[in-house]
């Protein structure tokens, strides 16, 4: 696998899935439903904005706590 340098403020798909508490297939579903959008990378190795991931994680946490 080719090593990519991630821009500051972005996360890989693996990092994003870990922070959201889902598997990669779950992350793909989240993206497909439009809850999170890719912000760079390649089609096979997308990046996600860290701020967007944090906002979605907080929203999911608030929903499960309610």
């Amino acid at each position: 696998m080719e090593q990519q340098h991630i821009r500051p403020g972005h996360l890989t798909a693996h990092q994003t899935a870990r922070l959201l508490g889902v598997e990669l297939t779950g992350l793909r579903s989240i993206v497909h439903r439009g809850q999170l959008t890719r912000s760079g990378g390649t089609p096979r190795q997308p990046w996600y904005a860290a701020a967007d991931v944090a906002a979605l994680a907080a929203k999911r946490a608030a929903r499960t706590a309610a």
Side-chain angles (χ1 to χ4, degrees), residues 3-65:
Q3 184 69 20
Q4 289 188 11
H5 295 287
I6 307 267
R7 290 184 297 188
H10 289 80
L11 301 168
T12 66
H14 289 277
Q15 292 168 330
T16 300
R18 191 174 331 115
L19 287 172
L20 294 176
V22 298
E23 298 289 329
L24 286 176
T25 54
L27 177 59
R28 284 190 283 274
S29 295
I30 290 169
V31 172
H32 180 71
R33 289 190 307 256
Q35 296 176 346
L36 185 64
T37 57
R38 297 174 180 174
S39 65
T42 65
R44 292 184 61 104
Q45 295 178 334
W47 303 340
Y48 301 94
D52 294 345
V53 175
L56 180 59
K59 182 178 176 182
R60 291 170 59 96
R63 185 178 56 190
T64 58

